[in-house]
Amino acid sequence: PHFDCSGKLALIHNGIVDNYEELGKKIRGHKLLGQTDSEIIVHLIERELTKTQNLLSAVKKVAKMTTGFNAFVVIHQDYPYLVAAKTGSPLVIGLNPGNNLVSSDVASLLSHTNKVIFLEDNQIARISPDEVRLENFSSVREIKPLVQTINWTAKSASKSGFPHFMLKEIYDQPAVLAKIAESKVKEARQLASSIAKAKNVFAVACGTASYAALAGQYLFACIAGQQVIPAIGSEFYYYDGAIGTRSLCLALSQSGETIDTLQSVSFAKSRGAKTVSLVNVQGSSLDRLSDQTILLAAGPEKAVASTKAFSAKVALLLLTASALKRKIPRAVIEIKQAVRAIRKILSPDYQKYLKKLASGFKHVHSIFILGRGISYPAALEAALKIKEVSYIHAEGFAAGELKHGVIALISQRTPCLVFAPNDETYSDVISGAMEVKARGGLIIGISHKPNPQFDYYLPVADSGNATILGNVVVAQCLAYYLAVARGLDPDMPRNLAKSVTV
Ligand code: M6R
């Protein structure tokens, strides 16, 4: 928290105040300890309080002065309530009589309550232990809040005996996928029918979710002959000329709060496109913004590194692509096969081997990951997982690109993960592995069968179009054990936040 000059007023802030320089000029003479935009805000509120003697009005006035995407929560010794204001970043109030709460993330509230109010932009709340009063910035009239019940349990947001959330969430995947195969068929069919009607379809997302979107591109093309254009959230605007009233913008997000994804959806709406979201957090900004939402039903994902939400999105995209060709029964079987394959990966012996492997590679400088076809997004996702939790440089490549430059990076004993599933990519990706091996690289093969090119072999049973799920789980585990072997906390990687709201 940041304090005002008196030390009586404290503020927490999520976001970036774009016009902080200009606002800073208004508080000359105030005692600032640091150089953050947040501190300027608390002193501005202090200044307003001398004029109004009303904490809510003072916060409202200052929140209105700010530009950018922000959320502020303020407490003052002389006032028996908190004030929370939202101009972009997420804010959710947990209703727990006698002990109301406010947070940026619903998962953090679940051990106290599942009754919540999501604040909209330009709303401000006065939160006392027993009462919540909501207003818009533009009026002093009370607004009736929409209270939502989140159907996640407190236990699902706990570590359940695992040492880290990341590992627990990796282990959640068989159950999540089985549930999707059983319960999401109807929604997948509806989405397929919207896709079939659209002139063009964009799958918009960031980070791990964008790799799920890329996997979707391959699934839709190969299962249904349907083009789906993956677009990174921050790049979506540049497709402007192609987005219109007959476009479908399919947004993918775990949190539903990723600013680039949200802005893409708003942008698509402004062009008259239909918007559908695959989102994990019920009531999140994306859920509220989209014309239609399919909840991933993966349960709370708390580790910064996204794992089960990736699998849930890919499974849903597989069902949807299959629905376009009336092949849902086959997709359901494939997802169930993937569930069995993942259970084997999560068995104690397999995990022991992965842990040992990670410990042997914990000091390497770089790890490369190769895949072709749908294993290319798997390679990108594997690399992201390794980078973000172990801080080892990792790059995923389309194996065919090796000879176009990447191979220059291979030196003696460079570890190279190779996805070699039982599909049309097998022999070509093995050729890539041979090229790497010929230059001294070490091959860690992830495949349904051993191959003489593999220095290490990580089996993943074939599950047709769903094989990517097991393959990525192996990489998730490897990333996790690399982080642990290096003495790092995989749940809290440096410089990263769970929801990228700015
Ligand atoms: O909540 P979202 O799925 O929209 O998040 C998108 C990315 O910020 C997220 O996937 C990020 O890349 C993760 N840290 C990856 O593990």
Side-chain angles (χ1 to χ4, degrees):
H2 295 271
F3 292 91
D4 70 344
C5 297
S6 72
K8 286 176 144 193
L9 172 67
L11 164 139
I12 52 170
H13 169 215
N14 182 16
I16 296 173
V17 178
D18 290 341
N19 56 340
Y20 72 96
E21 265 179 309
E22 175 199 326
L23 294 178
K25 292 180 191 146
K26 297 182 191 284
I27 47 158
R28 290 216 172 95
H30 282 244
K31 207 171 68 204
L32 269 72
L33 303 175
Q35 294 187 322
T36 78
D37 50 349
S38 317
E39 204 180 3
I40 291 172
I41 302 306
V42 75
H43 286 276
L44 274 174
I45 298 170
E46 177 184 22
R47 189 187 79 141
E48 288 306 317
L49 259 184
T50 58
K51 299 181 202 160
T52 71
Q53 316 293 320
N54 177 326
L55 188 59
L56 189 93
S57 324
V59 177
K60 197 189 253 190
K61 181 110 189 265
V62 174
K64 279 161 80 173
M65 288 176 195
T66 62
T67 59
F69 298 99
N70 292 288
F72 308 102
V73 181
V74 164
I75 189 167
H76 192 292
Q77 264 180 24
D78 300 341
Y79 295 81
Y81 49 79
L82 298 169
V83 175
K86 168 169 158 63
T87 65
S89 297
L91 264 187
V92 52
I93 298 169
L95 298 177
N96 188 17
N99 185 19
N100 286 331
L101 306 120
V102 62
S103 176
S104 58
D105 187 344
V106 74
S108 65
L109 300 174
L110 293 174
S111 55
H112 304 277
T113 181
N114 65 349
K115 297 258 181 296
V116 300
I117 301 165
F118 291 94
L119 256 68
E120 300 289 349
D121 287 348
N122 303 323
Q123 284 187 343
I124 189 162
R126 197 180 74 186
I127 307 160
S128 47
D130 284 303
E131 194 198 11
V132 173
R133 188 194 150 88
L134 219 62
E135 287 177 14
N136 278 324
F137 283 3
S138 55
S139 142
V140 288
R141 267 218 329 266
E142 184 173 357
I143 316 169
K144 194 171 178 306
L146 173 68
V147 178
Q148 302 210 27
T149 305
I150 303 297
N151 63 6
W152 284 348
T153 60
K155 188 169 177 290
S156 67
S158 73
K159 285 189 197 156
S160 311
F162 286 89
H164 296 102
F165 279 109
M166 183 178 174
L167 192 62
K168 184 246 174 191
E169 288 157 11
I170 289 173
Y171 272 77
D172 280 346
Q173 290 174 107
V176 169
L177 292 170
K179 193 163 146 202
I180 288 175
E182 274 154 27
S183 64
K184 293 286 171 183
V185 167
K186 194 171 154 210
E187 284 164 286
R189 284 206 174 102
Q190 281 163 355
L191 175 56
S193 120
S194 303
I195 288 174
K197 283 183 207 140
K199 180 178 165 225
N200 52 15
V201 182
F202 295 91
V204 184
C206 300
T208 285
S210 79
Y211 299 140
L214 191 58
Q217 181 188 33
Y218 284 94
L219 290 170
F220 278 97
C222 95
I223 298 172
Q226 166 75 47
Q227 190 188 27
V228 169
I229 305 158
I232 294 170
S234 52
E235 295 286 318
F236 184 57
Y237 309 89
Y238 312 123
Y239 291 84
D240 191 6
I243 306 161
T245 49
R246 291 176 55 218
S247 300
L248 174 70
C249 172
L250 178 63
L252 289 84
S253 174
Q254 188 288 128
S255 61
E257 301 296 349
T258 303
I259 194 73
D260 288 331
T261 309
L262 286 169
Q263 287 185 330
S264 297
V265 171
S266 301
F267 179 67
K269 288 183 99 167
S270 74
R271 294 286 179 270
K274 182 179 163 95
T275 56
V276 181
S277 291
L278 303 189
V279 62
N280 197 33
V281 181
Q282 178 199 347
S284 58
S285 304
L286 190 58
D287 179 15
R288 285 173 283 139
L289 180 66
S290 310
D291 297 326
Q292 223 176 298
T293 298
I294 301 183
L295 290 174
L296 297 176
E301 191 184 73
K302 294 186 92 172
V304 166
S306 185
T307 53
K308 58 180 176 173
F310 173 85
S311 299
K313 286 170 209 146
V314 172
L316 262 162
L317 292 172
L318 169 56
L319 282 178
T320 309
S322 305
L324 280 168
K325 285 283 169 194
R326 299 179 185 277
K327 285 185 183 162
I328 286 247
R330 181 173 148 190
V332 168
I333 291 171
E334 289 174 334
I335 295 171
K336 288 185 177 167
Q337 285 171 339
V339 168
R340 287 194 290 278
I342 294 170
R343 287 209 175 104
K344 280 196 195 129
I345 297 163
L346 300 179
S347 67
D349 284 350
Y350 201 121
Q351 291 290 299
K352 210 167 135 195
Y353 182 65
L354 282 169
K355 201 170 168 178
K356 205 170 133 211
L357 198 64
S359 160
F361 286 118
K362 69 179 176 186
H363 294 305
V364 297
H365 178 261
S366 286
I367 297 179
F368 297 108
I369 302 115
L370 298 182
R372 293 178 76 110
I374 195 168
S375 300
Y376 168 50
L380 296 176
E381 170 56 8
L384 181 61
K385 282 292 88 78
I386 294 172
K387 277 186 269 211
E388 63 182 341
V389 299
S390 75
Y391 314 153
I392 294 174
H393 168 241
E395 292 299 332
F397 297 109
E401 283 293 289
L402 267 175
K403 50 187 172 294
H404 298 290
V406 182
I407 202 144
L409 295 170
I410 306 294
S411 58
Q412 285 302 316
R413 304 191 66 76
T414 306
C416 185
L417 282 172
V418 174
F419 289 118
N422 186 24
D423 62 20
E424 68 280 16
T425 67
Y426 185 81
S427 55
D428 286 335
V429 85
I430 293 293
S431 307
M434 283 164 76
E435 289 174 40
V436 171
K437 207 173 158 74
R439 276 127 190 121
L442 282 176
I443 307 297
I444 305 160
I446 301 176
S447 183
H448 59 293
K449 61 178 182 189
N451 186 289
Q453 298 304 324
F454 299 161
D455 296 292
Y456 302 90
Y457 170 47
L458 298 169
V460 175
D462 179 25
S463 45
N465 290 311
T467 307
I468 181 178
L469 297 169
N471 284 350
V472 169
V473 171
V474 172
Q476 294 167 350
C477 295
L478 208 54
Y480 171 79
Y481 289 122
L482 280 168
V484 173
R486 286 162 66 86
L488 303 168
D489 178 354
D491 286 347
M492 302 276 185
R494 67 184 177 205
N495 309 338
L496 292 173
K498 181 64 183 156
S499 303
V500 184
T501 56
V502 288

